[in-house]
Short mmCIF file of all heavy atoms in Angstrom, two decimals:
data_model
loop_
_atom_site.label_atom_id
_atom_site.label_comp_id
_atom_site.label_asym_id
_atom_site.label_seq_id
_atom_site.Cartn_x
_atom_site.Cartn_y
_atom_site.Cartn_z
N GLN I 1 15.83 3.79 12.93
CA GLN I 1 15.22 3.27 11.69
C GLN I 1 13.72 3.15 11.78
O GLN I 1 13.09 2.52 10.82
CB GLN I 1 15.81 1.86 11.45
CG GLN I 1 17.31 1.90 11.40
CD GLN I 1 17.90 2.65 10.31
OE1 GLN I 1 17.68 2.56 9.15
NE2 GLN I 1 18.68 3.80 10.67
N GLU I 2 13.03 3.70 12.79
CA GLU I 2 11.54 3.57 12.88
C GLU I 2 10.88 4.27 11.80
O GLU I 2 9.84 3.85 11.25
CB GLU I 2 11.09 4.28 14.22
CG GLU I 2 11.40 3.50 15.46
CD GLU I 2 10.90 4.22 16.77
OE1 GLU I 2 10.09 5.07 16.60
OE2 GLU I 2 11.29 3.78 17.76
N CYS I 3 11.41 5.33 11.19
CA CYS I 3 10.88 6.12 10.08
C CYS I 3 10.76 5.12 8.90
O CYS I 3 9.75 5.21 8.14
CB CYS I 3 11.79 7.30 9.54
SG CYS I 3 13.49 6.84 9.21
N ILE I 4 11.57 4.17 8.67
CA ILE I 4 11.50 3.24 7.54
C ILE I 4 10.21 2.42 7.68
O ILE I 4 9.44 2.36 6.70
CB ILE I 4 12.70 2.29 7.38
CG1 ILE I 4 14.07 3.18 7.00
CG2 ILE I 4 12.43 1.17 6.43
CD1 ILE I 4 15.37 2.25 6.99
N GLU I 5 9.98 1.90 8.81
CA GLU I 5 8.91 0.96 9.06
C GLU I 5 7.58 1.78 8.97
O GLU I 5 6.49 1.30 8.39
CB GLU I 5 9.00 0.25 10.40
CG GLU I 5 7.74 -0.63 10.76
CD GLU I 5 7.59 -1.62 9.76
OE1 GLU I 5 8.52 -2.05 8.98
OE2 GLU I 5 6.40 -2.34 9.87
N ASP I 6 7.53 3.12 9.44
CA ASP I 6 6.34 4.04 9.25
C ASP I 6 5.87 3.98 7.76
O ASP I 6 4.80 3.97 7.44
CB ASP I 6 6.55 5.20 9.89
CG ASP I 6 6.73 5.14 11.51
OD1 ASP I 6 6.26 4.21 11.97
OD2 ASP I 6 7.22 5.99 12.06
N MET I 7 6.95 4.42 6.95
CA MET I 7 6.68 4.62 5.45
C MET I 7 6.26 3.26 4.90
O MET I 7 5.52 3.28 4.03
CB MET I 7 7.88 5.24 4.92
CG MET I 7 8.08 6.74 5.32
SD MET I 7 9.26 7.63 4.33
CE MET I 7 10.76 7.33 5.32
N ARG I 8 6.96 2.19 5.17
CA ARG I 8 6.69 0.89 4.60
C ARG I 8 5.40 0.50 4.88
O ARG I 8 4.66 0.04 4.01
CB ARG I 8 7.72 -0.11 5.10
CG ARG I 8 7.76 -1.59 4.47
CD ARG I 8 8.14 -2.67 5.35
NE ARG I 8 7.11 -2.83 6.46
CZ ARG I 8 6.04 -3.45 6.34
NH1 ARG I 8 5.67 -3.86 5.22
NH2 ARG I 8 5.24 -3.66 7.27
N GLN I 9 4.88 0.82 6.01
CA GLN I 9 3.41 0.35 6.43
C GLN I 9 2.46 1.14 5.55
O GLN I 9 1.50 0.68 5.02
CB GLN I 9 3.08 0.50 7.94
CG GLN I 9 3.81 -0.36 8.69
CD GLN I 9 3.49 -0.30 10.20
OE1 GLN I 9 2.61 0.35 10.65
NE2 GLN I 9 4.18 -0.97 11.23
N ALA I 10 2.79 2.49 5.46
CA ALA I 10 1.90 3.29 4.45
C ALA I 10 1.91 2.73 3.07
O ALA I 10 0.87 2.61 2.39
CB ALA I 10 2.29 4.71 4.60
N PHE I 11 3.08 2.42 2.61
CA PHE I 11 3.11 1.96 1.14
C PHE I 11 2.37 0.56 1.09
O PHE I 11 1.74 0.30 0.04
CB PHE I 11 4.59 1.88 0.84
CG PHE I 11 5.20 3.10 0.43
CD1 PHE I 11 6.43 3.41 0.99
CD2 PHE I 11 4.68 3.91 -0.45
CE1 PHE I 11 7.14 4.58 0.67
CE2 PHE I 11 5.29 5.15 -0.78
CZ PHE I 11 6.44 5.47 -0.16
N GLU I 12 2.51 -0.34 2.10
CA GLU I 12 1.74 -1.50 2.05
C GLU I 12 0.33 -1.29 1.97
O GLU I 12 -0.55 -2.03 1.27
CB GLU I 12 2.11 -2.35 3.28
CG GLU I 12 1.46 -3.72 3.11
CD GLU I 12 2.01 -4.70 4.17
OE1 GLU I 12 2.70 -4.28 5.00
OE2 GLU I 12 1.95 -5.99 3.99
N ARG I 13 -0.27 -0.42 2.73
CA ARG I 13 -1.62 -0.15 2.75
C ARG I 13 -2.12 0.40 1.33
O ARG I 13 -3.12 0.00 0.88
CB ARG I 13 -1.99 0.96 3.87
CG ARG I 13 -3.33 1.35 3.95
CD ARG I 13 -3.75 2.45 4.93
NE ARG I 13 -3.11 3.76 4.47
CZ ARG I 13 -2.23 4.46 4.89
NH1 ARG I 13 -1.44 3.93 5.93
NH2 ARG I 13 -1.71 5.61 4.37
N ARG I 14 -1.36 1.29 0.80
CA ARG I 14 -1.58 1.84 -0.49
C ARG I 14 -1.45 0.82 -1.59
O ARG I 14 -2.32 0.81 -2.50
CB ARG I 14 -0.57 3.05 -0.93
CG ARG I 14 -0.64 4.23 0.06
CD ARG I 14 0.42 5.19 -0.24
NE ARG I 14 0.43 6.35 0.68
CZ ARG I 14 1.19 7.38 0.71
NH1 ARG I 14 2.33 7.23 -0.13
NH2 ARG I 14 1.05 8.36 1.41
N ARG I 15 -0.59 -0.20 -1.40
CA ARG I 15 -0.49 -1.26 -2.35
C ARG I 15 -1.79 -2.06 -2.41
O ARG I 15 -2.39 -2.42 -3.44
CB ARG I 15 0.67 -2.21 -2.01
CG ARG I 15 0.96 -3.32 -3.03
CD ARG I 15 0.26 -4.68 -2.67
NE ARG I 15 0.04 -5.02 -1.33
CZ ARG I 15 0.86 -6.09 -0.81
NH1 ARG I 15 1.73 -6.60 -1.59
NH2 ARG I 15 0.72 -6.38 0.58
N ASP I 16 -2.35 -2.33 -1.18
CA ASP I 16 -3.61 -3.08 -1.11
C ASP I 16 -4.69 -2.32 -1.62
O ASP I 16 -5.61 -2.96 -2.42
CB ASP I 16 -3.81 -3.39 0.33
CG ASP I 16 -2.92 -4.36 1.01
OD1 ASP I 16 -2.27 -5.06 0.12
OD2 ASP I 16 -2.73 -4.48 2.19
N LEU I 17 -4.72 -1.00 -1.51
CA LEU I 17 -5.82 -0.15 -2.07
C LEU I 17 -5.79 -0.08 -3.52
O LEU I 17 -6.86 -0.34 -4.23
CB LEU I 17 -5.71 1.22 -1.40
CG LEU I 17 -6.64 2.31 -1.88
CD1 LEU I 17 -8.14 1.83 -1.57
CD2 LEU I 17 -6.43 3.67 -1.39
N ILE I 18 -4.68 0.20 -4.06
CA ILE I 18 -4.65 0.28 -5.53
C ILE I 18 -4.89 -1.05 -6.30
O ILE I 18 -5.46 -1.09 -7.38
CB ILE I 18 -3.25 1.08 -5.98
CG1 ILE I 18 -3.45 1.60 -7.54
CG2 ILE I 18 -2.08 -0.03 -5.88
CD1 ILE I 18 -2.21 2.40 -7.85
N VAL I 19 -4.35 -2.10 -5.84
CA VAL I 19 -4.61 -3.42 -6.34
C VAL I 19 -6.12 -3.70 -6.32
O VAL I 19 -6.71 -4.11 -7.33
CB VAL I 19 -3.82 -4.53 -5.64
CG1 VAL I 19 -4.45 -5.89 -6.03
CG2 VAL I 19 -2.33 -4.45 -5.84
N GLU I 20 -6.77 -3.46 -5.30
CA GLU I 20 -8.33 -3.68 -5.13
C GLU I 20 -9.02 -2.80 -6.18
O GLU I 20 -9.79 -3.35 -6.88
CB GLU I 20 -8.75 -3.33 -3.69
CG GLU I 20 -10.25 -3.32 -3.59
CD GLU I 20 -10.70 -2.82 -2.23
OE1 GLU I 20 -9.94 -2.39 -1.49
OE2 GLU I 20 -12.00 -2.76 -2.09
N LEU I 21 -8.53 -1.51 -6.33
CA LEU I 21 -9.32 -0.69 -7.33
C LEU I 21 -8.92 -0.90 -8.74
O LEU I 21 -9.84 -0.93 -9.54
CB LEU I 21 -8.91 0.86 -6.89
CG LEU I 21 -9.45 1.32 -5.41
CD1 LEU I 21 -8.87 2.76 -5.26
CD2 LEU I 21 -11.00 1.14 -5.45
N ALA I 22 -7.68 -1.43 -8.98
CA ALA I 22 -7.32 -1.58 -10.39
C ALA I 22 -8.03 -2.77 -10.86
O ALA I 22 -8.27 -2.86 -12.08
CB ALA I 22 -5.79 -1.77 -10.46
N ARG I 23 -8.25 -3.84 -10.02
CA ARG I 23 -9.00 -5.07 -10.40
C ARG I 23 -10.43 -4.71 -10.77
O ARG I 23 -11.07 -5.62 -11.31
CB ARG I 23 -8.81 -6.13 -9.29
CG ARG I 23 -7.42 -6.68 -9.31
CD ARG I 23 -7.16 -7.69 -8.17
NE ARG I 23 -5.93 -8.42 -8.26
CZ ARG I 23 -5.48 -9.16 -7.32
NH1 ARG I 23 -5.96 -9.33 -6.01
NH2 ARG I 23 -4.18 -9.66 -7.44
N GLN I 24 -10.85 -3.61 -10.57
CA GLN I 24 -12.27 -3.24 -10.80
C GLN I 24 -12.34 -2.64 -12.26
O GLN I 24 -13.47 -2.32 -12.72
CB GLN I 24 -12.79 -2.35 -9.76
CG GLN I 24 -12.87 -2.93 -8.35
CD GLN I 24 -13.39 -1.81 -7.38
OE1 GLN I 24 -13.93 -0.74 -7.67
NE2 GLN I 24 -13.09 -2.26 -6.08
N ILE I 25 -11.19 -2.40 -12.86
CA ILE I 25 -11.17 -1.80 -14.27
C ILE I 25 -11.18 -2.89 -15.32
O ILE I 25 -10.25 -3.69 -15.35
CB ILE I 25 -9.95 -0.92 -14.39
CG1 ILE I 25 -9.97 0.22 -13.38
CG2 ILE I 25 -9.94 -0.30 -15.82
CD1 ILE I 25 -8.77 1.14 -13.43
N PRO I 26 -12.28 -3.03 -16.06
CA PRO I 26 -12.44 -4.00 -17.07
C PRO I 26 -11.22 -4.08 -18.07
O PRO I 26 -10.77 -3.03 -18.53
CB PRO I 26 -13.76 -3.65 -17.81
CG PRO I 26 -14.44 -2.85 -16.73
CD PRO I 26 -13.58 -2.06 -16.01
N GLY I 27 -10.70 -5.24 -18.37
CA GLY I 27 -9.57 -5.34 -19.28
C GLY I 27 -8.25 -5.33 -18.68
O GLY I 27 -7.34 -5.59 -19.36
#
């Protein structure tokens, strides 16, 4: 089940990235 955790970590990193960038869009 290691593959699940590898992908989960990638999605968590991407979540943090998109939230940070989305909060920079006015409105």
Side-chain angles (χ1 to χ4, degrees):
Q1 304 298 297
E2 289 182 11
C3 56
I4 290 178
E5 179 60 16
D6 291 342
M7 289 186 274
R8 191 204 66 79
Q9 289 181 13
F11 285 127
E12 185 169 18
R13 183 187 68 247
R14 294 170 179 181
R15 185 275 309 264
D16 293 342
L17 176 62
I18 197 169
V19 167
E20 176 189 354
L21 296 175
R23 286 176 173 168
Q24 296 174 16
I25 300 176

